[in-house]
Amino acid sequence: MQASGGYFSGISDISVNGYGQHYYLIRKLNGDQVLKVDIENPGKEVWQASTLESGEQGSANPYQLVFVNESKAYLLLYGKNEAWIVDPSATQADDFFSGQTLNLDVYMPDDSIGVVNMSAGTVVNGKLFITMQRLDSNYSPSNMGYIAVFDTETDTELETNADASDNLKGIPLEGRNPTNIQYVDQTGLVVTNLGSYSAPFDGTSLDIIDPETYQVSSMIQDSEINFQINDAVIISQTQGYILNYAGWQDISLQSFNPSEGPSSLTTINNLTGMDLRDIELSPEGRLWLADATLTNSGIRVIDPSDNNEDDFIGTSLLPIAISFGSVVINP
């Protein structure tokens, strides 16, 4: 495999989400744009939509597109308390935002920076799960992280009764500062919590949530480790991977057995002391690792059956996010 590009020069604070034959380039803080791109014509956008409404000041800081289907998705806005309901199949920018939103004002803590810090989302069995960091006025994760749950047909928030002692409908997390959420069959929702931004990384963990009962447990608890979990991919009840963050550009890729916990963590392929930014599982079941190490940046493709590196795709720029799409082939 080979990389091509780069395309769409601009700010470095970006992310990407793919669905079908298109990917959506998200320009985040002070970029405030979503670009729709056909993966068969990667050098030109289909359209470019602003994430600020007419006359709006500041930055909405768009973070992630969470897809229900080809014509409905939710745009999570880190800098606002409203998630946009959008149409990713739109053929022009003006038709992207439906004008409808999900309001999360109720989750804003008293000592917040003014927003709930929506950070990640996923859809499971007709329900949207949105993680919120709820940082305090010093941008620290002193407040409990939460997940709000919405019905994707009615766009109404569901009462989870996860905590009978609070006045919120959502799910309080065991860890703090959630940054990622994924669904794993027979395991449940796996939430990656960063915890504090600097050592000793208080609050970092992998939380597990039952998407039906909303019960919360931990796959890896904060008290069991002395590093930060930057990202995770869980393949099954017995196979998972994390990015172990010990310090700036000192990150390791480690495999582990989720049924055994952190005692089984093992660094693979000597991938340690590096600037590893993202790990994702491809549709073919291989692990893709974004390696932003300056001396040799690129994508490392790893076979989970033996943890051997099958391929390395060198990139001219530093890879920071990975998403997958599929080309539609007409008969």
Side-chain angles (χ1 to χ4, degrees):
M1 291 181 285
Q2 291 183 329
S4 64
Y7 306 112
F8 310 113
S9 62
I11 64 172
S12 60
D13 190 8
I14 60 174
S15 190
V16 62
N17 297 125
Y19 191 90
Q21 192 160 317
H22 295 89
Y23 76 83
Y24 299 80
L25 173 65
I26 299 174
R27 290 175 172 155
K28 299 169 78 173
L29 183 63
N30 296 320
D32 293 294
Q33 291 176 327
V34 176
L35 279 66
K36 180 178 181 177
V37 183
D38 188 322
I39 58 178
E40 288 199 297
N41 185 20
K44 181 176 175 57
E45 72 270 21
V46 177
W47 46 250
Q48 182 179 118
S50 173
T51 59
L52 293 173
E53 298 185 66
S54 178
E56 189 175 7
Q57 301 297 312
S59 178
N61 198 358
Y63 247 51
Q64 183 186 359
L65 267 174
V66 185
F67 296 90
V68 179
N69 52 46
E70 64 180 9
S71 59
K72 183 175 184 179
Y74 301 95
L75 181 63
L76 307 187
L77 303 171
Y78 192 83
K80 299 182 71 173
N81 287 340
E82 295 178 334
W84 282 9
I85 302 173
V86 298
D87 181 0
S89 69
T91 57
Q92 57 185 12
D94 289 346
D95 297 328
F96 176 58
F97 177 36
S98 69
Q100 298 176 306
T101 63
L102 307 180
N103 191 295
L104 295 166
D105 275 338
V106 68
Y107 288 96
M108 191 167 62
D110 292 338
D111 61 342
S112 75
I113 57 175
V115 289
V116 298
N117 314 113
M118 284 177 276
S119 54
T122 192
V123 171
V124 180
N125 296 333
K127 292 183 282 190
L128 168 68
F129 296 81
I130 301 176
T131 65
M132 294 168 286
Q133 296 172 346
R134 304 174 77 238
L135 302 180
D136 65 25
S137 57
N138 293 316
Y139 293 86
S140 296
S142 62
N143 297 302
M144 185 175 291
Y146 259 82
I147 293 180
V149 186
F150 287 83
D151 184 310
T152 60
E153 287 191 10
T154 63
D155 295 319
T156 56
E157 187 176 3
L158 301 176
E159 172 61 76
T160 67
N161 291 313
D163 186 347
S165 65
D166 68 10
N167 60 352
L168 300 171
K169 293 181 178 181
I171 307 166
L173 295 168
E174 293 193 3
R176 302 200 176 199
N177 202 3
T179 57
N180 189 28
I181 184 171
Q182 62 170 300
Y183 176 71
V184 182
D185 190 33
Q186 298 184 344
T187 297
L189 294 160
V190 181
V191 180
T192 303
N193 298 295
L194 287 185
S196 300
Y197 288 107
S198 58
F201 308 121
D202 293 334
T204 192
S205 70
L206 288 183
D207 287 353
I208 307 299
I209 299 169
D210 186 310
E212 301 302 325
T213 67
Y214 310 117
Q215 290 185 330
V216 183
S217 59
S218 281
M219 183 178 289
I220 298 179
Q221 298 181 25
D222 181 22
S223 60
E224 297 176 309
I225 55 177
N226 59 2
F227 54 84
Q228 184 184 74
I229 303 173
N230 255 21
D231 200 1
V233 165
I234 307 302
I235 297 177
S236 69
Q237 292 178 310
T238 58
Q239 187 174 21
Y241 299 85
I242 67 164
L243 292 185
N244 174 331
Y245 179 92
W248 174 244
Q249 297 183 338
D250 185 8
I251 305 171
S252 305
L253 175 64
Q254 295 186 311
S255 64
F256 77 111
N257 184 333
S259 68
E260 297 177 2
S263 63
S264 60
L265 283 165
T266 304
T267 300
I268 65 171
N269 298 338
N270 199 33
L271 295 173
T272 185
M274 305 169 73
D275 191 2
L276 308 175
R277 302 289 185 93
D278 190 21
I279 47 173
E280 301 291 341
L281 191 67
S282 76
E284 296 79 19
R286 294 195 292 179
L287 193 71
W288 284 47
L289 172 67
D291 184 353
T293 306
L294 287 172
T295 54
N296 191 26
S297 62
I299 304 295
R300 299 182 183 275
V301 182
I302 295 167
D303 184 348
S305 68
D306 56 15
N307 285 337
N308 286 332
E309 187 172 303
D310 284 352
D311 205 350
F312 178 80
I313 310 163
T315 57
S316 57
L317 300 175
L318 303 179
I320 59 174
I322 299 170
S323 189
F324 298 95
S326 57
V327 175
V328 177
I329 301 176
N330 295 319

